[in-house]
Amino acid sequence: MLLKNTRDKWAGFIITFTLLLLLMCASVVYGYTDTSWKMAIDSFTNFNGTNEHLIIQTVRLPRALIAAAVGGSLAITGVLLQTLTKNPLASSEFFGVNAGAGLAVVIAVTIFSLSNLQVFTWVSFLGAAIAAISVYLVGSVGREGLTPMKLTLAGAAMTAMFASLTQGLLVLNESALEQVLFWLAGSVAGRKLENLTAVLPYLAFGWLAALFISSKLNVLAMGEDVAKGLGLNTGFIKIVSVIIVILLSGGAVAVAGPIAFIGIVIPHLTHFIVGNDHKWVIPFSGLLGGILLLAADITARYIVMPEEMPVGVMTAIIGTPFFIYIARKGFNG
């Protein structure tokens, strides 16, 4: 299914973008409250204040926009981390970045009793940054320095530690457990448009910065020595990439909680479609990440109706078999 020439890639991009828009529209229309496509259009062209129109505008539209933005952000972080570490299983959730951001938010709720959205955003960024730095430092210990395997093991260890601390804090504070349990499972339900607008500048900057360094990532992907031989400042590109990962993963966690597997599944699917050119891999991954999270969120509304399954559970169901396949392929060559 590899799209080899530029014309085919542009056609594929337009098709993928159209599919993303269709799923966003479907997210606005379908759910527990029975609405139609005509009703959704009327809510924007001829708003009458009915319950259905209010749900479409204040609940489902923000939900669709958040799912698209969060899914795309997590997918792009996966691309960056897999390129930096040469590890096909690298993603923000398995390198402790999401877990660190989640722990920081839980600390803010359980210990400091904070509830301000803007504060949550900065706390999430801080947790993601501390997690990324911690994983880097732990992975750098030893004479060999930083290697992909050591970085993976460090990420797994830090993820486990952050998750244990999170659970411990919630056990000690039952009221906070009720407040953040659904958030910790990963969900875009019940989020307001303000949740997205608070982090959108940081997400948008991360998207644009990832596109800006895409050509440099192509050189870095050739290998450290080759990249240095071609004059690339690998240290600078790595630092920029880590900052982008912190912005995108921290912003995504602040809005939707820790959502797993998108950062693993989408980069591999994108490479299968467009090859290894990051100028195409990054935008395609952003679109496909949004598509996956939107599809998972729509499906999650119908599995246990009238209740809703957290979308993080759906992405785990989708991503776990793929994770096992990639792990076996990676270890067996």
Side-chain angles (χ1 to χ4, degrees), residues 20-40:
L20 176 68
L21 293 179
L22 288 175
L23 281 173
M24 291 178 67
C25 292
S27 179
V28 170
V29 173
Y30 297 114
Y32 177 69
T33 300
D34 187 25
T35 57
S36 64
W37 290 84
K38 182 179 183 304
M39 194 178 295

Side-chain angles (χ1 to χ4, degrees), residues 67-149:
V70 169
S73 298
L74 293 175
I76 292 173
T77 63
V79 172
L80 296 177
L81 287 172
Q82 289 175 21
T83 301
L84 289 175
T85 63
K86 309 297 189 294
N87 183 346
L89 298 178
S91 65
S92 56
E93 60 265 25
F94 292 106
F95 273 54
V97 180
N98 286 5
L103 173 61
V105 172
V106 170
I107 290 174
V109 173
T110 58
I111 297 179
F112 299 102
S113 301
L114 299 176
S115 59
N116 182 273
L117 177 61
Q118 193 64 38
V119 173
F120 271 13
T121 302
W122 287 107
V123 166
S124 181
F125 287 146
L126 177 63
I130 292 174
I133 294 170
S134 300
V135 171
Y136 178 84
L137 292 176
V138 172
S140 300
V141 174
R143 286 185 298 179
E144 304 93 358
L146 188 67
T147 65
M149 179 58 71

Side-chain angles (χ1 to χ4, degrees), residues 36-57:
S36 64
W37 290 84
K38 182 179 183 304
M39 194 178 295
I41 295 172
D42 287 342
S43 70
F44 296 102
T45 60
N46 189 26
F47 182 76
N48 58 19
T50 61
N51 183 54
E52 288 80 3
H53 282 193
L54 286 171
I55 288 175
I56 288 170
Q57 288 204 13

Side-chain angles (χ1 to χ4, degrees), residues 56-67 191-193:
I56 288 170
Q57 288 204 13
T58 63
V59 177
R60 290 186 183 168
L61 178 62
R63 184 170 180 171
L65 293 171
I66 289 171
R191 306 306 196 258
K192 297 180 180 179
L193 194 58

